[in-house]
Amino acid sequence: MRLLLVEDEKKVASHIKRGLGQEGYAVDVINDGGEAVSMAMTYAYDLIILDVMLPGKDGIQVLKELRDNKNDTPVIFLTAKNTTEEKITGLDLGADDYLTKPFEFEELCARIRAILRRHESTKETKLTIAELDLDPVTHEVRRGGHRIDLTPKEYALLEYLLYNKGKVLTRTMIVEHVWDQDFDSFTNVVDVYVNHLRSKIDQPFGEKLLHTVRGFGYVLREQDAADKD
Ligand code: CA
């Protein structure tokens, strides 16, 4: 999943980006409110972490502009002080959650997972298809009880496919949700990673879950849920 982090304190921003990267998220960092609006309107982020006190436009203004422009990307607000007023304003404007600084990194992760789950309207913490499951808390992936070891990017790709199981995803969609803005879109990296992932989640198990839809992209689905390839 791809996240936008809007935070002007460089140290805090790089600390959060590094931590979220280790959790398998692709993260773009912006430290100016005005730029944040245009980034959020340009890329299909799965979630935005938005500091309130920012140069350019403050977080409240950024959120208001996004919602006014019918952008409903989930937003977690970061408020500096324990000011009830800021929280109420943020939630009324359509923020999905807030955290008061300073916060534990683990709590931010838990809130991100809760929102991504809510967005998919499921209370189930594990993401599953057939006998394959991924646990976003422990990062364990298993198929038929067998533990599968994935690299962080393979994991991120599988997580995105699982959140969207049954839907055909184009290479562009995959790139936008799994890689950050430094990604070179002229390479065939998506196909390469799909092949890596297949060799781990499909090949040893017989039944194929990750299908190519010629001319469109890829879909994760059970074989009997649609016509055979
Ligand atoms: Ca700030």
Side-chain angles (χ1 to χ4, degrees):
M1 309 302 261
R2 184 173 177 185
L3 316 183
L4 177 65
L5 170 62
V6 190
E7 167 63 81
D8 59 314
E9 285 167 67
K10 296 245 161 68
K11 263 192 181 164
V12 177
S14 73
H15 171 71
I16 297 176
K17 181 184 161 91
R18 190 167 53 241
L20 292 176
Q22 284 163 1
E23 294 289 315
Y25 298 110
V27 184
D28 294 335
V29 178
I30 288 293
N31 35 49
D32 174 278
E35 240 179 288
V37 174
S38 60
M39 283 291 280
M41 298 302 294
T42 307
Y43 298 100
Y45 291 106
D46 298 291
L47 186 139
I48 300 168
I49 301 163
L50 182 60
D51 189 26
V52 173
M53 302 288 279
L54 291 166
K57 291 169 182 164
D58 69 18
I60 304 268
Q61 186 59 33
V62 170
L63 180 60
K64 189 175 182 318
E65 282 188 32
L66 292 179
R67 297 304 186 239
D68 285 350
N69 284 291
K70 307 273 177 271
N71 180 310
D72 63 353
T73 308
V75 169
I76 297 178
F77 240 27
L78 301 181
T79 63
K81 295 152 283 171
N82 209 344
T83 55
T84 312
E85 204 180 320
E86 261 178 11
K87 287 173 198 162
I88 293 171
T89 310
L91 292 171
D92 279 345
L93 281 171
D96 298 78
D97 203 349
Y98 64 83
L99 268 177
T100 305
K101 288 180 176 178
F103 52 84
E104 297 287 333
F105 181 72
E106 285 307 317
E107 186 176 3
L108 175 63
C109 290
R111 284 171 192 254
I112 290 171
R113 289 192 296 265
I115 287 175
L116 293 177
R117 247 187 352 253
R118 205 184 303 160
H119 205 55
E120 298 305 316
S121 60
T122 170
K123 284 272 181 284
E124 191 55 51
T125 53
K126 282 186 184 176
L127 303 169
T128 62
I129 183 169
E131 76 283 27
L132 174 78
D133 59 70
L134 176 151
D135 187 332
V137 180
T138 62
H139 289 194
E140 277 188 0
V141 175
R142 288 175 188 276
R143 185 161 179 183
H146 297 278
R147 170 85 180 264
I148 300 171
D149 289 316
L150 300 178
T151 66
K153 261 310 173 229
E154 291 163 357
Y155 175 89
L157 174 61
L158 179 61
E159 185 183 44
Y160 179 60
L161 287 161
L162 275 165
Y163 270 116
N164 295 284
K165 65 181 175 189
K167 291 182 206 161
V168 177
L169 304 169
T170 64
R171 287 174 182 78
T172 306
M173 290 163 82
I174 292 170
V175 163
E176 284 187 355
H177 289 269
V178 179
W179 276 268
D180 62 26
Q181 60 183 335
D182 301 326
F183 172 73
D184 171 10
S185 57
F186 295 101
T187 66
N188 65 342
V189 72
V190 173
D191 305 283
V192 171
Y193 275 91
V194 164
N195 286 333
H196 287 324
L197 191 56
R198 270 185 178 143
S199 73
K200 293 183 179 178
I201 66 162
D202 275 347
Q203 257 167 33
F205 300 96
E207 198 210 329
K208 202 169 156 185
L209 296 173
L210 180 44
H211 304 266
T212 302
V213 182
R214 206 159 294 141
F216 291 96
Y218 298 102
V219 61
L220 197 65
R221 67 165 181 240
E222 291 184 61
Q223 192 83 347
D224 58 358
D227 296 332
K228 304 265 178 190
D229 269 6

